[in-house]
């Protein structure tokens, strides 16, 4: 019945001069049918009628056709698409309407993912060339879809061969020459492909595109330099990417760029990217090794934390949080002595006053610095986190509590994050029980009404309940109430509270 309905609607459309109403009916019919049922009902349908209606200046007609085709084509197998609709999809790649281009690219993306269907695309020079040209399109959504499709194609050796060992490489290089923006879109594709495996990195390296990207790190244009740093940081996310960068001397080059930034008046544009690069490197490899091998990085992070520029401060806070999230990173920071103490004091000041964004980032960084998993809680490390907490203020519990009561949900959650960090540590629990009214604050469900605030409070309660020392330190009465809170869940509302509220109204 459904197949017959779609068939009759297609027949009606083929003989109508202005088919908007008929297309709307067809769209309704197609959307009402489950994809599994649609797959059976469209087999052999005359979809060419809809494809032909894409050749129109009427925007509404084109968009209705796209909606219909999007649904029907998704119901067809990639093999069916490759065998029956190659020509139509190729036409879509050069269509003036961007949504048609995206539709064609999405379906070609499905084809190249299929081991049997991909051959039809690999053997079609014109389709591949058109996909690469879509990276140069003005509309970012089209370029992104083209990058995604070519990235999928590169998951196989034949795909890599086609892109990097045929005339398609020249097509890519020609498209790169369009503009700085398009050049960086090609770099984005190359970095994405390089990150997949050492083999795919080899193809990209042999194409000279990666060495071209690395050369831009020290170019004259500071904005391009900043973008290049971002791309190289992405490449460093994979182990084989980091090995390649080390072999090319990029770590030393970036370290030297950090040193040289002091004499460059435009360094604020690219310096944050250089620091992020080493921050990511430290987390993925070894904080100690990175900080010892490239001391310019750690020194610069401390400098930036004390800088008046909010951009510099923000990057420094994020990087310090990253570094301090691991035990090794905590030990590296502790070794710097007074330097880190002055930075920690600055973080405390930023958390207490200033722009909300920096306050939140500072609170997040402090909570990362203070976090110690139960299995990491040696006597030395517990002494370290406790000493850091007391460096924040003469009365750090009051300081964080004051922040948590301010009418900004993100600050409230940030402060609870710090309490959650110390909640698993015996010294933190002792501070909590000795601070007047603190346990009442933890158990009070009326503080913080947003979902995020309720989740943050629930995480704090969960940290306390799961600690092996909490029952003894906090006392059985508090511990039983915390367990009840946890059992009731983050969004529990007591019946008594509801009745009293209604009475008040």
């Amino acid at each position: 019945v459904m197949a017959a309905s779609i068939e009759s609607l297609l027949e009606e459309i083929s003989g109508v001069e202005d088919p908007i109403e008929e297309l709307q009916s067809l769209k309704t019919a197609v959307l009402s049918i489950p994809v599994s049922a649609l797959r059976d009902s469209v087999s052999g349908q005359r979809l060419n009628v809809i494809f032909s209606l894409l050749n129109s200046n009427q925007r509404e007609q084109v968009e209705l056709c796209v909606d219909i085709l999007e649904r029907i084509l998704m119901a067809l197998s990639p093999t069916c698409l490759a065998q029956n609709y190659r020509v139509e999809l190729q036409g879509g790649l050069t269509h003036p309407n961007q949504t048609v281009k995206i539709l064609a690219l999405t379906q070609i993306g499905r084809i190249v993912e299929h081991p049997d269907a991909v051959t039809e695309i690999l053997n079609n020079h014109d389709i591949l060339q058109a996909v690469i040209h879509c990276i140069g399109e003005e509309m970012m959504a089209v370029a992104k879809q083209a990058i995604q499709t070519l990235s999928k194609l590169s998951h196989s050796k034949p795909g890599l061969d086609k892109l990097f060992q045929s005339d398609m490489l020249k097509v890519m290089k020609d498209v790169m020459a369009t503009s700085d923006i398009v050049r960086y879109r090609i770099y984005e594709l190359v970095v994405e492909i390089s990150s997949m495996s050492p083999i795919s990195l080899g193809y990209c390296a042999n194409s000279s595109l990666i060495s071209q990207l690395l050369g831009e790190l020290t170019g004259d244009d500071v904005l391009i330099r900043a973008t290049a740093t971002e791309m190289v940081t992405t490449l460093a996310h994979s182990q084989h990417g980091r090995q390649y960068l080390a072999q090319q001397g990029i770590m030393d080059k970036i370290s030297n760029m950090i040193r040289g930034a002091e004499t460059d008046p435009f360094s604020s544009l690219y310096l944050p990217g250089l620091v992020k690069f080493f921050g990511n490197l430290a987390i993925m490899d070894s904080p100690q090794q990175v900080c010892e091998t490239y001391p310019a990085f750690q020194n610069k992070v401390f400098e930036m934390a004390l800088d008046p520029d909010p951009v510099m401060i923000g990057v420094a806070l994020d990087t310090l949080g990253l570094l301090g999230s691991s035990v090794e990173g905590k030990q590296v920071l502790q070794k710097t002595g007074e330097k880190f103490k002055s930075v920690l004091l600055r973080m405390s000041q930023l958390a207490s006053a200033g722009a909300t964004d920096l306050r939140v980032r500072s609170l997040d960084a402090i909570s990362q610095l203070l976090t110690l998993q139960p299995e990491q809680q040696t006597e030395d490390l517990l002494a370290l986190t406790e000493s850091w907490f007391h460096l924040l203020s003469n009365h750090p519990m009051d300081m964080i509590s004051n922040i948590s009561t301010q009418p900004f949900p993100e600050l409230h959650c940030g402060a609870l994050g710090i309490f959650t960090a110390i909640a698993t540590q015996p010294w933190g629990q002792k501070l909590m029980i000795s601070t007047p009214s603190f346990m009442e604050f933890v158990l009070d469900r009326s503080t913080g009404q947003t979902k995020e605030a309720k989740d943050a409070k629930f995480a704090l309660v969960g940290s306390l309940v799961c600690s092996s020392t909490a029952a003894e330190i906090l006392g059985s009465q508090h511990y039983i109430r915390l367990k009840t809170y946890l059992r009731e869940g983050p969004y529990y509302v007591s019946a008594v509270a509801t009745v009293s509220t209604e009475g008040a109204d």
Side-chain angles (χ1 to χ4, degrees):
V1 173
M2 289 185 284
S5 165
I6 291 176
E7 177 70 36
S8 64
L9 284 166
L10 280 166
E11 276 182 24
E12 283 178 38
I13 288 167
S14 59
V16 176
E17 195 171 315
D18 184 10
I20 296 293
E21 280 185 31
E22 288 77 7
L23 284 170
Q24 286 170 337
S25 300
L26 179 58
K27 178 183 172 180
T28 304
V30 166
L31 291 176
S32 66
I33 300 171
V35 172
S36 54
L38 192 60
R39 190 180 296 116
D40 300 326
S41 64
V42 296
S43 180
Q45 295 290 348
R46 294 174 298 169
L47 277 186
N48 290 337
V49 174
I50 308 299
F51 275 112
S52 66
L53 289 174
L54 288 170
N55 300 316
S56 165
N57 293 324
Q58 282 197 48
R59 186 174 179 148
E60 187 183 1
Q61 177 176 314
V62 171
E63 288 181 355
L64 280 167
C65 289
V66 167
D67 291 341
I68 293 162
L69 286 168
E70 200 168 41
R71 180 78 172 172
I72 294 176
L73 296 179
M74 285 305 285
L76 302 178
S77 71
T79 315
C80 173
L81 286 174
Q83 289 171 352
N84 302 312
Y85 299 106
R86 270 192 330 278
V87 174
E88 288 79 4
L89 292 175
Q90 185 179 330
L93 294 173
T94 53
H95 195 282
N97 187 298
Q98 308 301 325
T99 58
V100 179
K101 284 192 178 86
I102 291 170
L103 170 70
L105 286 165
T106 305
Q107 298 308 320
I108 292 167
R110 289 181 61 219
I111 294 170
V112 300
E113 279 184 304
H114 195 280
D116 298 327
V118 66
T119 314
E120 299 283 355
I121 301 297
L122 289 172
N123 294 336
N124 193 314
H125 178 280
D126 293 337
I127 286 184
L128 277 177
Q129 185 169 320
V131 171
I132 293 169
H133 276 285
C134 282
I135 296 177
E137 282 290 327
E138 193 174 336
M139 189 179 178
M140 192 59 195
V142 175
K144 284 277 183 196
Q145 198 62 54
I147 289 168
Q148 201 176 323
T149 299
L150 292 169
S151 179
K152 287 174 182 175
L153 181 70
S154 305
H155 281 281
S156 67
K157 187 180 182 300
L160 287 166
D161 286 339
K162 194 71 182 177
L163 270 184
F164 295 103
Q165 293 185 347
S166 75
D167 55 352
M168 286 302 136
L169 181 59
K170 184 182 182 303
V171 175
M172 275 201 283
K173 289 182 176 180
D174 289 345
V175 169
M176 279 180 91
T178 310
S179 68
D180 288 345
I181 290 171
V182 175
R183 184 165 83 256
Y184 272 88
R185 289 177 186 170
I186 296 284
Y187 285 149
E188 184 185 331
L189 170 65
V190 169
V191 167
E192 201 170 303
I193 294 170
S194 298
S195 300
M196 291 175 193
S197 71
I199 291 170
S200 59
L201 172 58
Y203 275 89
C204 295
N206 291 335
S207 73
S208 80
L209 290 173
I210 291 192
S211 56
Q212 190 176 332
L213 167 62
L214 298 180
E216 305 226 24
L217 281 172
T218 49
D220 294 331
D221 188 321
V222 288
L223 291 176
I224 285 179
R225 206 182 298 175
T227 312
T229 306
E230 214 172 287
M231 297 275 180
V232 173
T233 302
T234 305
L235 185 57
H237 286 168
S238 65
Q239 190 179 357
H240 62 270
R242 292 195 294 280
Q243 286 173 343
Y244 174 79
L245 293 172
Q247 287 162 5
Q248 301 299 310
I250 297 304
M251 279 67 162
D252 293 322
K253 182 182 273 192
I254 291 179
S255 179
N256 289 334
M257 286 170 72
I258 289 175
R259 282 198 192 91
E262 290 173 18
T263 56
D264 184 352
F266 300 106
S267 65
S268 62
L269 295 168
Y270 61 84
L271 192 54
L274 303 180
V275 168
K276 282 181 189 174
F277 172 82
F278 275 118
N280 281 291
L281 204 63
I283 291 307
M284 288 178 286
D285 282 347
S286 154
Q288 184 177 343
Q289 189 183 335
V290 169
C291 291
E292 285 179 359
T293 312
Y294 309 103
F297 156 64
Q298 188 175 290
N299 294 335
K300 185 54 70 176
V301 173
F302 287 175
E303 261 180 54
M304 287 166 72
L306 304 171
D307 197 290
D309 183 345
V311 175
M312 296 296 179
I313 298 168
V315 173
L317 291 171
D318 297 344
T319 307
L320 286 163
L322 269 177
L323 278 175
S325 62
S326 70
V327 166
E328 191 181 309
K330 286 176 171 60
Q331 291 166 333
V332 166
L333 293 171
Q334 178 72 347
K335 272 184 195 172
T336 64
E338 293 302 317
K339 277 187 183 178
F340 181 63
K341 284 181 182 178
S342 60
V343 166
L344 201 53
L345 185 61
R346 170 76 162 144
M347 291 170 78
S348 168
Q349 291 163 351
L350 290 165
S352 300
T356 304
D357 171 58
L358 287 182
R359 294 184 72 183
V360 171
R361 286 163 87 172
S362 191
L363 290 166
D364 288 346
I366 292 168
S367 75
Q368 285 178 289
L369 289 166
L370 295 173
T371 297
L372 266 186
Q373 300 306 324
E375 66 275 10
Q376 300 169 338
Q377 291 180 13
T378 63
E379 198 176 320
D380 287 348
L381 286 169
L382 285 167
L384 182 149
T385 51
E386 185 176 9
S387 70
W388 285 0
F389 187 71
H390 286 286
L391 283 171
L392 295 173
S393 158
N394 291 332
H395 304 286
M397 288 295 288
D398 292 342
M399 172 198 145
I400 306 299
S401 293
N402 289 338
I403 295 170
S404 75
T405 58
Q406 291 177 17
F408 299 99
E410 57 269 53
L411 292 178
H412 176 75
C413 293
L416 288 179
I418 293 178
F419 287 138
T420 303
I422 68 169
T424 61
Q425 301 171 60
W427 64 262
Q429 294 162 11
K430 286 172 186 171
L431 279 175
M432 288 177 178
I433 199 66
S434 64
T435 301
S437 305
F438 186 81
M439 292 312 296
E440 284 68 27
F441 161 76
V442 173
L443 291 159
D444 183 1
R445 288 185 179 272
S446 69
T447 60
Q449 291 303 302
T450 64
K451 179 185 180 298
E452 292 76 16
K454 289 176 189 292
D455 288 340
K457 177 70 78 71
F458 191 68
L460 169 56
V461 171
S463 290
L464 286 167
V465 171
C466 294
S467 167
S468 60
T469 57
E472 184 187 341
I473 294 172
L474 301 177
S476 58
Q477 189 182 349
H478 284 131
Y479 190 69
I480 289 166
R481 290 178 68 194
L482 288 165
K483 284 185 79 171
T484 303
Y485 190 118
L486 198 67
R487 189 178 65 251
E488 289 170 346
Y491 317 117
Y492 177 78
V493 179
S494 70
V496 178
T498 308
V499 171
S500 67
T501 304
E502 286 174 359
D505 291 344

